Amino acid sequence: MKIDSSSKALAAYASQPRALKRDAGAPEAKTQAAGENVAINPLASRMQAAEKAAQSEPAFDAAKVDAIRHAIASGQYQVKPEAIADSLISSARELLGRA
């Protein structure tokens, strides 16, 4: 078998126009005429505002963490099991929808 560099197979493919493949299930994009309005869901703008507010606040209160750390180290921090139990029960009720 002789291999030549004439590339007849490549030339046959090169002359064919390339067609864009489209997803058969996807609707065709429509062009918008000048002057059309676009409405954004109000929930999206509220979510964006909440995201900006969350980014502007620190992730945690470093001063509060230091105060608790100091209280634990000095033996002054007291755990209230009743308060923890009440909070856990209320959280569980909330998650179960029985609030």
Side-chain angles (χ1 to χ4, degrees):
M1 175 189 226
K2 184 179 177 183
I3 299 175
D4 61 359
S5 62
S6 63
S7 304
K8 292 178 185 177
L10 290 177
Y13 286 112
S15 65
Q16 295 177 355
R18 293 185 181 179
L20 295 175
K21 295 181 181 179
R22 293 186 181 166
D23 186 11
E28 291 187 24
K30 296 180 183 177
T31 57
Q32 291 184 350
E36 285 190 22
N37 293 331
V38 177
I40 297 177
N41 188 338
L43 179 61
S45 61
R46 288 192 305 185
M47 288 176 57
Q48 186 177 21
E51 183 178 327
K52 285 182 182 179
Q55 289 175 350
S56 66
E57 294 181 16
F60 65 96
D61 186 357
K64 187 174 183 178
V65 171
D66 287 338
I68 293 172
R69 180 180 295 140
H70 179 69
I72 291 171
S74 66
Q76 296 174 352
Y77 187 79
Q78 296 188 5
V79 178
K80 298 178 184 174
E82 300 85 16
I84 294 172
D86 289 342
S87 293
L88 284 173
I89 291 170
S90 119
S91 246
R93 284 185 179 151
E94 225 176 87
L95 289 172
L96 295 173
R98 299 180 187 170

